[in-house]
Amino acid sequence: MTHYRNIVILTGAGISAESGLATFRDQGGLWENHRIEEVATPEAFAFDPDLVQNFYNMRRAALGTVAPNAAHKALARLEAEHSGQVLVVTQNVDDLHERAGSKNLLHMHGELAKARCRPCGKVHDWREDLHQTTPCPACGAAPALRPHIVWFGEMPFHMDMIEAALYEADLFLSIGTSGNVYPAAGFVAQARSYSRAHTVELNLEPSEGHSQFAETIHGPAGQIVPDYVEKILGGG
Ligand code: OAD
């Protein structure tokens, strides 16, 4: 049995890399051949909505071609077998954590498999392509629907719940994230100062903020995350 009670886990694109989804900064700031600002800002959507919708349509369709890997599954196992709280906070917009079985999960940067109506605010589960002509199923407006994604310059979701969990955490894990994008990059410092949590980075290589962690483990998530979960469930 682990001696930790409340575990908060931040994940980033690196946890989904072995499932076949491209990370952001590993390719020199390009995401599937686009500069992030070209497709992931409100200005980009205002300038060329069809380009942005098509970009996310392709990402959404790609979800059907990938599957959770051993790292996603290990975190779901941790949640199922740990006697205390486990919260996964993901920056990822894919659905691989939930498909692996994670239940206590917050998507702070939104979800590819959802669409939001700008006029009425309703959020819909969405697996199909979105077009400017697609009417909102709730209010009928068009153009109205946008990807339920947090773009640069917009406020991440669920910050109150994340802050509250960081106050209670005694173990904070950061998995597969480069530590470049705030507020997520600041969670390690918050966990240390709010609750004196033990902090661990699990990443392919040392991230931007690796020196802020008490412990660092480097290697592919599909190996190091199951090993670490085994260790903490075994009492390590
Ligand atoms: P990044 O692409 O910035 O970083 C991915 C990290 O994963 C890097 O540090 C890699 O070394 C590591 N990595 C790659 N393959 C790995 C593997 N197999 N196992 C473990 N680690 C691996 O992605 P994020 O940090 O998630 O925001 O990016 C944060 C945010 O920036 C994203 O959510 C997105 C982006 O702009 C928004 O869209 C708002």
Side-chain angles (χ1 to χ4, degrees):
M1 271 307 255
T2 176
H3 56 276
Y4 297 115
R5 294 294 309 156
N6 297 319
I7 304 175
V8 175
I9 304 161
L10 173 69
T11 67
I15 198 168
S16 297
E18 288 157 78
S19 294
L21 292 176
T23 62
F24 300 90
R25 289 168 191 80
D26 293 343
Q27 309 161 84
L30 293 184
W31 186 19
E32 303 284 350
N33 301 320
H34 288 271
R35 282 173 43 240
I36 295 171
E37 314 79 66
E38 239 171 44
V39 286
T41 61
E43 292 77 16
F45 189 58
F47 179 71
D48 193 345
D50 294 328
L51 174 95
V52 174
Q53 295 282 24
N54 284 333
F55 177 78
Y56 286 99
N57 286 343
M58 283 191 281
R59 308 277 77 71
R60 194 178 303 108
L63 292 181
T65 68
V66 296
N69 66 50
H72 299 102
K73 290 177 190 163
L75 296 186
R77 176 185 167 216
L78 179 64
E79 184 182 341
E81 297 184 16
H82 177 54
S83 55
Q85 283 283 321
V86 175
L87 171 67
V88 175
V89 177
T90 189
Q91 298 169 89
N92 297 344
V93 296
D94 66 53
D95 59 356
L96 296 179
H97 281 303
E98 45 272 58
R99 281 162 59 194
S102 285
K103 306 250 181 301
N104 198 18
L105 170 70
L106 296 175
H107 277 277
M108 65 179 289
H109 289 168
E111 294 170 69
L112 274 171
K114 291 192 173 158
R116 182 166 82 245
C117 177
R118 284 178 299 147
C120 81
K122 180 110 173 56
V123 177
H124 305 276
D125 289 334
W126 209 274
R127 293 275 162 189
E128 310 300 314
D129 283 354
L130 269 180
H131 301 288
Q132 289 300 87
T133 49
T134 314
C136 169
C139 73
L145 296 171
R146 58 163 279 181
H148 189 50
I149 300 281
V150 175
W151 286 325
F152 282 91
E154 296 182 326
M155 192 68 88
F157 298 139
H158 312 301
M159 287 308 297
D160 291 356
M161 281 190 279
I162 297 168
E163 289 259 326
L166 289 171
Y167 264 105
E168 301 292 322
D170 51 11
L171 177 64
F172 174 77
L173 308 180
S174 173
I175 304 174
T177 176
S178 60
N180 274 287
V181 174
Y182 283 82
F187 291 169
V188 56
Q190 287 172 273
R192 287 180 84 134
S193 66
Y194 292 167
S195 57
R196 299 181 190 279
H198 181 57
T199 54
V200 188
E201 166 168 288
L202 296 113
N203 204 50
L204 192 59
E205 64 207 356
S207 75
E208 193 82 0
H210 73 277
S211 60
Q212 298 184 68
F213 290 85
E215 187 181 351
T216 52
I217 301 170
H218 295 132
Q223 279 173 26
I224 61 177
V225 175
D227 289 352
Y228 192 79
V229 164
E230 187 67 45
K231 187 176 134 193
I232 55 175
L233 284 175

